[in-house]
Amino acid sequence: SLDSAISCGLIVNELMTNAYKYAFPPEWVKHKPDDYPFAIEIKMEHAADNAYILCIRDNGVGISEYIDIATSDSLGLKIVNSMVQQLSGSVEVSGKNGTQFKIIFNDQLREA
């Protein structure tokens, strides 16, 4: 649905911006080999019926394992949390081997 697409667009914008700003700090980058494949990836997959998985990940420095987007002071993560709630979805965050945000939701409006 259009509403789901707008929410996904805002989520992608915020998480891509965060990855671009924070995933590859200069002090961390200078310790990587010249051929290190720095990457930021976006993947959307249709899981089943009207279920979708939106995954945004990077192979950078990683996010703190203690981050809770529901209580974060970060405006960007507050926006992500709000958009995930609008989708009636859930979010899984991982900070291992970079940062990964996995948003799982059902596109309820497609059923109508």
Side-chain angles (χ1 to χ4, degrees), residues 96-111:
K96 295 181 181 177
N97 301 318
T99 299
Q100 175 175 287
F101 285 82
K102 184 188 239 184
I103 293 97
I104 303 156
F105 66 98
N106 289 314
D107 193 355
Q108 303 293 336
L109 297 178
R110 287 189 59 130
E111 294 175 359

Side-chain angles (χ1 to χ4, degrees), residues 2-102:
L2 181 59
D3 289 339
S4 295
I6 290 169
S7 294
C8 287
L10 290 168
I11 290 168
V12 168
N13 181 62
E14 289 302 325
L15 294 178
M16 288 293 294
T17 299
N18 280 358
Y20 183 75
K21 287 169 63 175
Y22 303 115
F24 310 109
E27 286 300 312
W28 183 83
V29 168
K30 77 179 187 179
H31 296 290
K32 294 294 177 192
D34 290 338
D35 62 346
Y36 185 79
F38 298 100
I40 301 172
E41 301 171 343
I42 304 170
K43 183 167 105 174
M44 174 76 102
E45 62 183 88
H46 186 230
D49 295 325
N50 288 334
Y52 293 89
I53 300 171
L54 172 61
C55 185
I56 295 107
R57 68 171 300 277
D58 64 64
N59 64 346
V61 69
I63 195 167
S64 169
E65 64 184 88
Y66 304 108
I67 192 76
D68 178 1
I69 72 165
T71 60
S72 174
D73 290 334
S74 162
L75 177 60
L77 292 181
K78 285 180 182 180
I79 291 170
V80 168
N81 188 52
S82 176
M83 294 299 103
V84 170
Q85 287 179 355
Q86 284 187 17
L87 291 168
S88 298
S90 62
V91 61
E92 299 171 8
V93 182
S94 172
K96 295 181 181 177
N97 301 318
T99 299
Q100 175 175 287
F101 285 82
K102 184 188 239 184

